[in-house]
Amino acid sequence: TCLPTQIQMKRDEIAAAFEPAIAMVRQALRPLPSTSATAETDALNRRLLELLAKRDDAVAPLDRAVQEIIEQERATVEGLLRGLRGGA
């Protein structure tokens, strides 16, 4: 359980690194719908989507690694339990 926790902490650290830029773009978008700045709104929306996609791409391998470790641990425990039951 230590390794998944370490990976999750690293994942959270990486995701947090994107948050200032995401928050800045969201803040910039707030007043724009009430104006006629559609080009600026579109550009900022694209930038926000890019940042969110980059964040998701950066953490996806870590999410997969945690899931794989959990599945391996589950298989190991099930194997041990089967062995204790005499292979039933």
Side-chain angles (χ1 to χ4, degrees):
T1 59
C2 185
L3 184 57
T5 301
Q6 290 174 344
I7 293 171
Q8 185 64 42
M9 288 172 54
K10 190 57 154 176
R11 180 217 186 274
D12 294 346
E13 182 181 312
I14 290 169
F18 285 90
E19 289 308 313
I22 291 169
M24 186 171 41
V25 173
R26 284 183 173 148
Q27 181 67 27
L29 277 167
R30 282 194 186 117
L32 292 180
S34 62
T35 69
S36 60
T38 56
E40 291 85 357
T41 301
D42 290 345
L44 285 171
N45 277 320
R46 279 192 304 277
R47 181 65 181 143
L48 179 59
L49 291 175
E50 289 170 7
L51 285 168
L52 293 171
K54 285 181 181 181
R55 180 199 60 197
D56 293 347
D57 288 346
V59 300
L62 299 170
D63 290 339
R64 283 191 300 274
V66 169
Q67 191 59 41
E68 288 174 13
I69 291 168
I70 290 169
E71 292 300 322
Q72 290 171 357
E73 288 174 347
R74 185 178 334 202
T76 300
V77 169
E78 288 173 1
L80 290 171
L81 292 175
R82 266 192 310 276
L84 292 172
R85 291 186 206 127

